[in-house]
Amino acid sequence: MASYSLFILPPTMPPRPSLPARLSLALLLACLAFLACLTPAAAQTSYGAPESPPPTASLPLLLPSAAAGDGLGGPVGGGASDSASNASLISGIPDGEYSRYLQAGLTAHVWGQPLVSSVRNAATFRAVNALIRQTNLTTADNQSTIPLQNTDTLYAAAWLDLASGPLLLALPYVAPPRYYSALLVSPYSDVVAVHGARTDGPGPLSLLVQSGGQGSGGRSTVITVRSSTRNVFLIVRVLVQGYEDVPAASNLLSNITLTRPATNAPATPLPPPDLSSLAGLPDGMQRLVLIDRALQDNPPTQDAANLDVLNQLATIGIYSSSTSSASSSNLSSSASSASSSPFSSSASSASSSNLSSSASSASSSPFSSSASPFTPASLSPVQRLALAQAYLLANVTIRGAYTLLLLGVNRSVVVNRWLSDTSLGYYGDRFLFRAGFTSTGGLGALPSAESLYLLTWQDALGQRYDGAANHSLHLSPPPVTACGFWSLTLYNGDGFLPQGLWRNSIGDRTKGLSYNLDGTLTVPIQPSPPPNASLGGNWLPTLANDSFSLVLRVYCPAASVLNRTWAPAAVTLG
């Protein structure tokens, strides 16, 4: 089976340049697009709308869309326009100040993208330290604004605040072979831990989640999960065998509990981050404020790459010495007082029965830290102009990173037009790759040992798959371990489940599939039913007036999937 890869970095490469150096290259590559951003039409555009995934990997993706008003990311919308219309200010500006704010602003937006997406997602939760549970499978009719959602599992999720002490997550017994997992992710989109059927068997399972350190330990009655960040995203997935199985899977989710281990009482819900006071700021300034405050609650690991970034951010007042001295890599000191959180002023006294009143009595600012914050109002016109243009250029750069991701760069691998990456959730210093992935709904992706995601969206000539044409996939079912399963899902040109089709996915649980004698599947992917009636049960319908992409999910993949000795065949015409 033919395979190829693009720009796969060998393990013996010399040390990579710092993020500022890599972004300097991005500045050079994007200069034409940046000049376009400085035109009056583009400068007066609002860049506050939620971002949707780029429709195709082509040059226009690198330009902010003046018509659509695209922002940098996140399901939650941004604010007012970042105006770069004061182009006359450029004359007479000292190169040092303007360049420093432009470069540091770009670095902040790229490096801090997952922090912004995380906090804005947390703000949509009903409460902190409280589970929300999905009761129906995702369909084209109920899907959210996050692209590429799966149709295989029900979810439970929570945004955890560990400032007041550890939390105990208890999952019930899940009878094999049903898959389940509990994923804990930092605000930087790095995997803290993942537990479930693959790692721990059917359960029941108890996870003690606490701040300080990193990873899991102790496999007696309770598994201790240590997070280096104060805030953690919890995402629980439970497999649904079919629509008739939804009530049983939903019942399993309803039996998940989140308690305080000292009292065995339910965790007290806290108000979610209140971002209302940022509404009057341009989206770019909102993001810088969010990054500055999120850093105080969730300092990054003190490695060389992060320190390089933090030193640069400090030069423009983000997490500067006046604020960073209040925090350290050891969160135990900051976690001892809820009032130290920029998101939780009166939250420690909130209760589930009086959540709204306690939230409304909080400070009018969403941040209650006594440390000196990054204050946009204190910036000079030159500094504001540089940061506004840095935001526009960050839009270009992050979209370019997503384009490169789709092209199989950034250590991703393309085999037979299927792209995959085995490093999701473990980004290291791949900040640009992390920004591109998390800006398009990539928060909370499972690591490859738990699930490998394979994406295809264009043919051998680089053209998007046309929904009006007849395509076919000769699929050798992916090898999985005992708890594993696979699914093949079709999305429209924008990465969402198409409306009006009788099915959007098939998988190893799909009834009525017709296998070939060698165990493979022939999957017709076309707008009309296949003439061969025996393939009707394998048919994935398309919309004739739209392009499409496919995602093959392999949960609990076998070693041959991870080392790519198994790979899906290319999608063909006809």
Side-chain angles (χ1 to χ4, degrees):
M1 183 176 293
S3 66
Y4 60 92
S5 60
L6 301 178
F7 197 60
I8 307 305
L9 301 182
T12 55
M13 282 196 69
R16 305 172 71 210
S18 64
L19 179 65
R22 299 201 299 274
L23 289 179
S24 295
L25 176 61
L27 278 167
L28 178 63
L29 295 174
C31 68
L32 291 178
F34 179 49
L35 291 175
C37 294
L38 297 179
T39 62
Q44 295 170 5
T45 301
S46 171
Y47 293 90
E51 183 180 50
S52 59
T56 181
S58 58
L59 180 61
L61 292 182
L62 303 179
L63 298 173
S65 169
D70 291 341
L72 282 182
V76 183
S81 170
D82 274 297
S83 177
S85 58
N86 291 322
S88 60
L89 289 173
I90 294 177
S91 59
I93 293 176
D95 287 342
E97 180 183 26
Y98 178 82
S99 299
R100 174 162 49 90
Y101 272 77
L102 178 66
Q103 179 68 69
L106 174 60
T107 298
H109 283 300
V110 171
W111 182 86
Q113 167 62 40
L115 288 176
V116 174
S117 293
S118 292
V119 174
R120 284 182 165 174
N121 274 282
T124 68
F125 278 64
R126 177 182 57 84
V128 174
N129 293 342
L131 286 162
I132 57 173
R133 298 172 175 86
Q134 187 181 18
T135 57
N136 290 293
L137 283 171
T138 299
T139 67
D141 296 324
N142 66 16
Q143 63 189 319
S144 72
T145 57
I146 300 174
L148 302 181
Q149 296 178 70
N150 88 50
T151 61
D152 307 305
T153 67
L154 293 184
Y155 287 92
W159 174 254
L160 306 183
D161 186 343
L162 305 176
S164 299
L167 293 166
L168 183 65
L169 174 70
L171 295 96
Y173 173 81
V174 179
R178 188 190 297 272
Y179 171 86
Y180 76 101
S181 65
L183 173 70
L184 295 129
V185 184
S186 79
Y188 297 90
S189 197
D190 292 318
V191 171
V192 175
V194 59
H195 289 276
R198 180 183 64 87
T199 55
D200 305 279
L205 188 61
S206 295
L207 305 178
L208 182 67
V209 187
Q210 61 187 40
S211 63
Q214 180 80 8
S216 303
R219 291 183 175 271
S220 54
T221 305
V222 176
I223 300 172
T224 299
V225 176
R226 294 179 176 85
S227 169
S228 63
T229 55
R230 168 180 175 165
N231 294 117
V232 182
F233 261 127
L234 165 67
I235 305 170
V236 178
R237 294 169 170 89
V238 173
L239 175 64
V240 177
Q241 302 286 356
Y243 283 103
E244 69 284 355
D245 185 47
V246 168
S250 180
N251 182 62
L252 288 171
L253 290 184
S254 68
N255 285 307
I256 298 173
T257 60
L258 194 61
T259 61
R260 289 290 180 191
T263 62
N264 203 32
T268 301
L270 307 177
D274 178 8
L275 311 183
S276 59
S277 68
L278 301 181
L281 292 175
D283 185 54
M285 287 299 179
Q286 285 190 28
R287 290 169 174 273
L288 296 179
V289 172
L290 288 174
I291 292 166
D292 178 57
R293 303 307 184 266
L295 275 168
Q296 295 181 45
D297 264 9
N298 298 284
T301 55
Q302 301 297 298
D303 57 65
N306 283 330
L307 289 175
D308 185 30
V309 170
L310 294 180
N311 287 335
Q312 189 177 176
L313 269 54
T315 65
I316 61 173
I318 295 177
Y319 200 54
S320 62
S321 57
S322 62
T323 60
S324 61
S325 60
S327 303
S328 70
S329 58
N330 182 354
L331 294 187
S332 59
S333 59
S334 64
S336 62
S337 171
S339 63
S340 67
S341 167
F343 300 125
S344 61
S345 58
S346 63
S348 60
S349 62
S351 66
S352 56
S353 60
N354 196 23
L355 180 61
S356 59
S357 61
S358 63
S360 62
S361 65
S363 167
S364 58
S365 169
F367 313 114
S368 63
S369 174
S370 60
S372 300
F374 172 76
T375 308
S378 67
L379 298 170
S380 70
V382 169
Q383 294 165 351
R384 287 197 298 271
L385 174 64
L387 291 179
Q389 293 175 347
Y391 168 77
L392 296 176
L393 186 54
N395 196 328
V396 171
T397 304
I398 292 176
R399 283 175 174 267
Y402 185 80
T403 300
L404 293 176
L405 167 65
L406 292 180
L407 292 175
V409 185
N410 291 303
R411 304 185 202 174
S412 301
V413 175
V414 177
V415 179
N416 298 332
R417 311 305 302 175
W418 291 89
L419 178 143
S420 62
D421 193 297
T422 57
S423 66
L424 297 183
Y426 303 101
Y427 299 102
D429 68 346
R430 300 169 68 198
F431 302 137
L432 193 57
F433 169 80
R434 182 180 72 179
F437 189 70
T438 58
S439 70
T440 54
L443 287 172
L446 287 165
S448 60
E450 197 72 22
S451 178
L452 188 67
Y453 308 94
L454 299 104
L455 167 69
T456 185
W457 73 101
Q458 60 184 14
D459 60 25
L461 299 177
Q463 301 298 313
R464 289 298 300 262
Y465 294 130
D466 182 2
N470 291 347
H471 295 81
S472 180
L473 172 63
H474 190 74
L475 180 66
S476 174
V480 296
T481 60
C483 65
F485 66 94
W486 65 268
S487 66
L488 178 68
T489 307
L490 184 141
Y491 300 92
N492 64 18
D494 294 321
F496 295 93
L497 299 171
Q499 298 276 349
L501 300 178
W502 76 281
R503 83 164 27 149
N504 298 115
S505 67
I506 62 171
D508 56 4
R509 294 145 291 128
T510 302
K511 296 178 180 178
L513 293 181
S514 177
Y515 289 84
N516 301 317
L517 293 178
D518 61 358
T520 60
L521 276 171
T522 300
V523 183
I525 307 168
Q526 55 194 53
S528 301
N532 185 344
S534 66
L535 296 179
N538 301 0
W539 173 40
L540 264 182
T542 61
L543 293 178
N545 60 351
D546 199 356
S547 60
F548 68 88
S549 61
L550 298 167
V551 173
L552 179 61
R553 292 176 171 87
V554 187
Y555 284 75
C556 301
S560 59
V561 176
L562 295 175
N563 65 26
R564 299 187 174 91
T565 55
W566 172 93
V571 175
T572 59
L573 277 171

